[in-house]
Amino acid sequence: GGTITISDSATVTVTQATNFLDLLKVGNGSGIAAASVNFNGKVESVTDTLSNINTLTGSAGWTGNSSVHDDFNLVVADSVSTLVNGSNTSALSAMNATTFSSNQSTTAANAHSLFTLKDTIHFDRGSYTLTISDTPTNLLNASYEDGKDFADTWQLTANATVSAVDAEALLAETKFH
């Protein structure tokens, strides 16, 4: 028995969402029936890594209470490597949003992949920056242009010897530091 009334929207952790879902009845178990929960049109935002969100969405409290799924926005905040990993695309596309967990540094190829996937995975970098750290060859590779435009800055991964033409091309780029 009992009723739960949600009076405001909030950003909660996976742990908090799990603790809330643990209060709800799953199957014939004890707890409050999901039908007795009133969100009053409010939506709770859960922001965490893909691994932690996957743990939440795989839990009995989540899978056993599908009627409350629309009352939660699931947001993955993670690294570039997680966001561009092809085995994660399906899970990420099912999220309400994705973002960085911190400022990120990656290769030109990964920046290009992120640019290509951004609409599919509902990506918004928020206040975090994206730095491409790569070789001169990759920084000048035209096939990575969208990713390079998407990044905030470019830098070399290590000292490199380049031709005068490549040096001039890099130095002309405002994002190159």
Side-chain angles (χ1 to χ4, degrees):
T3 301
I4 297 176
T5 301
I6 308 299
S7 59
D8 63 355
S9 296
T11 299
V12 297
T13 65
V14 164
T15 300
Q16 290 169 318
T18 299
N19 290 341
F20 170 77
L21 293 168
D22 287 345
L23 298 172
L24 303 183
K25 185 179 204 171
V26 177
N28 292 324
S30 62
I32 298 169
S36 296
V37 178
N38 183 351
F39 280 85
N40 290 322
K42 307 298 184 194
V43 177
E44 307 305 304
S45 229
V46 183
T47 302
D48 214 318
T49 64
L50 179 60
S51 176
N52 289 341
I53 296 279
N54 281 341
T55 298
L56 171 68
T57 59
S59 71
W62 182 266
T63 60
N65 288 293
S66 60
S67 64
V68 299
H69 290 183
D70 288 343
D71 300 304
F72 290 90
N73 275 340
L74 302 179
V75 180
V76 169
D78 223 312
S79 66
V80 171
S81 60
T82 297
L83 296 174
V84 301
N85 183 324
S87 65
N88 296 334
T89 303
S90 179
L92 293 170
S93 67
M95 298 297 140
N96 296 92
T98 63
T99 191
F100 291 145
S101 55
S102 62
N103 292 335
Q104 298 289 305
S105 181
T106 193
T107 64
N110 279 347
H112 178 75
S113 294
L114 183 59
F115 176 83
T116 302
L117 286 169
K118 68 182 176 63
D119 292 334
T120 301
I121 64 172
H122 319 289
F123 178 79
D124 181 330
R125 81 172 77 198
S127 62
Y128 296 113
T129 60
L130 177 62
T131 298
I132 293 176
S133 185
D134 215 327
T135 65
T137 301
N138 288 336
L139 290 175
L140 295 171
N141 188 331
S143 65
Y144 300 140
E145 206 61 41
D146 289 335
K148 294 186 304 185
D149 289 344
F150 193 53
D152 297 293
T153 58
W154 310 349
Q155 63 189 23
L156 294 175
T157 53
N159 290 337
T161 302
V162 296
S163 70
V165 170
D166 286 350
E168 288 176 4
L170 283 171
L171 292 173
E173 293 291 343
T174 58
K175 293 183 177 190
F176 180 70
H177 296 274

